[in-house]
Amino acid sequence: MFELLLLSVGVGVALFVGFNIGGATTGPAFGPAVGADAISKTGAAGLMAVFFLIGGWTIGRQVVDTLGNELVTDPGVFTIHSSIVVLFFIGGALFIGNYYGVPASTSMTAVGAIAGLGVATDALNWVVMGEIAVWWIVAPIVGFWVSGMVGRYFYTRINEWVAITSTPGPLVEIDRTGVVPRPVTGPNTTRRELVGAIVVVSIGCLMAFSSGTSNIANAIAPLVGAGVDIDLMILLGCGAVAVGAFTIARRTLDTLGNDITELPLTAAIVVAVISSAIVIGLSAIGIPASFVIIATTSIIGLGWGRATRTTTLPDVVRGEKETNVSIGALTAETPGEEAPAIGEEEPEDIPSAGDLFDPATTGRVIVMQNVVPLLSTVGAYVTFSVLFRFVW
């Protein structure tokens, strides 16, 4: 009876983790699309739930095995007792980030908690941990600088190719005049705008799938390692993710879609392509991707690149214009003429740093995304190295 009660507590904590994963990962996947008015928050939550389940049910079960076996040298450290504690710190730390509207990295938070257990029990595989940590440092830097360079030198040309201009009103409406309601394009929606919206939403679905392949393990791997059926836990965990996507994720959708940087539809597509490419690349080599960090730094990098732009790369190559890349010249103009605004090409719409890149919000995001994984790591280590030694 006691074991059944303990298992119920463990499953409850795992569902709490899944709930917070839904809140933390929906923003990076669909924040650009929501910020560009390509999809509603409710629509984003629905797509997140579906594609997260597909990713978790297929590739995700392999990641569950990896996280429960390779990161620690002795999988026996995962008992029902220890799993509850690990999941408690994962869910608690993620909840703090979600409460403040900052989507923390579920991979970093989960790996941190398991690493705390591994260090306290002398069972951590330092080689695997070191490899993961290196990629967690490199990948966000790559995302920031690639997005920054695109925003600074290529965004105008890309926008000309895509030629997506947001029009007033919704992209899609529901026609209820017939027997069966059906979606129709909005009254002002252009074909290019609709195609662009489909592209950015599709990329969001791809990112949701990628999130499911890696993040479902963060909620259920400890319990599966302790002997709980993996199929049941995947279904329960994905259900909890769906609840989080429809509720607490609204905060992170606002943060990544609106507060950090303004994202016209073209910019949303650029951010989604860069961040999803990096996440897929990391997954291909077996690294649990820091999905949230990569997407967030890509958004920040694009906003910074757009705010600091004074010319385009072809102009630099031809030597026709000068450029100032210093941080202090965020709104510098090209000598001899007024620099056009990115994407709009109207002199009166020159973007400033305050318009495109919010330092206050960015600082809050960066601080919380480092604090949340630290809380789970330190909390798990202290608990297993001090308190549990007296219990066990």
Side-chain angles (χ1 to χ4, degrees), residues 149-168:
M149 293 303 99
V150 169
R152 185 174 178 85
Y153 296 118
F154 299 102
Y155 187 88
T156 301
R157 184 61 56 84
I158 293 174
N159 195 68
E160 291 174 354
W161 291 338
V162 178
I164 299 173
T165 303
S166 297
T167 56

Side-chain angles (χ1 to χ4, degrees), residues 314-326:
D315 294 328
V316 176
V317 174
R318 291 193 301 266
E320 295 178 359
K321 298 180 182 180
E322 298 179 10
T323 182
N324 189 335
V325 298
S326 66

Side-chain angles (χ1 to χ4, degrees), residues 63 66-67 70 128 131-132 135 279-289:
V63 183
T66 299
L67 197 60
E70 294 186 9
V128 174
E131 183 180 1
I132 293 173
W135 279 109
V279 169
I280 292 172
L282 288 178
S283 300
I285 61 175
I287 301 296

Side-chain angles (χ1 to χ4, degrees), residues 168-196:
L171 287 169
V172 179
E173 296 179 331
I174 302 299
D175 182 4
R176 295 182 172 85
T177 58
V179 177
V180 179
R182 60 188 180 89
V184 296
T185 57
N188 300 314
T189 302
T190 64
R191 182 175 180 179
R192 283 187 177 273
E193 186 181 14
L194 183 61
V195 171

Side-chain angles (χ1 to χ4, degrees), residues 41-382:
K41 293 179 181 178
T42 302
L47 291 176
M48 182 70 191
V50 171
F51 284 91
F52 190 97
L53 173 60
I54 296 173
W57 187 263
T58 55
I59 303 174
R61 59 184 67 241
Q62 301 175 18
V63 183
V64 172
D65 181 67
T66 299
L67 197 60
N69 292 302
E70 294 186 9
L71 190 57
V72 292
T73 57
D74 179 17
V77 299
F78 286 121
T79 64
I80 296 295
H81 302 78
S82 64
S83 297
I84 291 175
V85 176
V86 168
L87 291 170
F88 171 79
F89 282 109
I90 296 173
L94 289 176
F95 179 78
I96 293 174
N98 288 329
Y99 178 80
Y100 285 99
V102 177
S105 169
T106 56
S107 292
M108 293 180 69
T109 304
V111 172
I114 296 175
L117 166 64
V119 172
T121 57
D122 295 324
L124 180 64
N125 189 328
W126 287 100
V127 174
V128 174
M129 187 68 232
E131 183 180 1
I132 293 173
V134 168
W135 279 109
W136 279 353
I137 295 172
V138 172
I141 295 175
V142 172
F144 175 88
W145 283 109
V146 171
S147 299
M149 293 303 99
V150 169
R152 185 174 178 85
Y153 296 118
F154 299 102
Y155 187 88
T156 301
R157 184 61 56 84
I158 293 174
N159 195 68
E160 291 174 354
W161 291 338
V162 178
I164 299 173
T165 303
S166 297
T167 56
L171 287 169
V172 179
E173 296 179 331
I174 302 299
D175 182 4
R176 295 182 172 85
T177 58
V179 177
V180 179
R182 60 188 180 89
V184 296
T185 57
N188 300 314
T189 302
T190 64
R191 182 175 180 179
R192 283 187 177 273
E193 186 181 14
L194 183 61
V195 171
I198 293 173
V199 170
V200 74
V201 171
S202 298
I203 294 173
C205 293
L206 177 62
M207 297 180 74
F209 173 84
S210 300
S211 177
T213 62
S214 61
N215 287 322
I216 189 61
N218 301 331
I220 69 173
L223 284 179
V224 172
V228 182
D229 181 68
I230 184 172
D231 291 340
L232 174 63
M233 289 307 304
I234 288 177
L235 292 175
L236 292 176
C238 290
V241 169
V243 174
F246 277 101
T247 54
I248 198 170
R250 292 179 175 271
R251 284 177 172 266
T252 58
L253 283 168
D254 282 334
T255 299
L256 290 184
N258 300 306
D259 293 348
I260 291 180
T261 179
E262 294 181 358
L263 286 178
L265 200 52
T266 305
I269 293 174
V270 171
V271 167
V273 168
I274 293 174
S275 56
S276 61
I278 295 175
V279 169
I280 292 172
L282 288 178
S283 300
I285 61 175
I287 301 296
S290 184
F291 176 81
V292 171
I293 302 294
I294 296 170
T296 302
T297 53
S298 294
I299 293 174
I300 295 172
L302 183 64
W304 173 81
R306 293 177 64 204
T308 59
R309 172 198 172 282
T310 59
T311 187
T312 60
L313 188 58
D315 294 328
V316 176
V317 174
R318 291 193 301 266
E320 295 178 359
K321 298 180 182 180
E322 298 179 10
T323 182
N324 189 335
V325 298
S326 66
I327 299 298
L330 294 180
T331 58
E333 297 175 4
T334 302
E337 66 177 295
E338 194 171 31
I342 300 299
E344 300 297 333
E345 301 306 316
E346 295 293 338
E348 62 269 20
D349 293 330
I350 298 175
S352 66
D355 292 332
L356 297 175
F357 180 70
D358 188 343
T361 302
T362 299
R364 176 167 60 91
V365 168
I366 293 175
V367 169
M368 289 302 298
Q369 287 186 343
N370 283 277
V371 168
V372 169
L374 185 63
L375 288 175
S376 68
T377 304
V378 174
Y381 171 75
V382 171

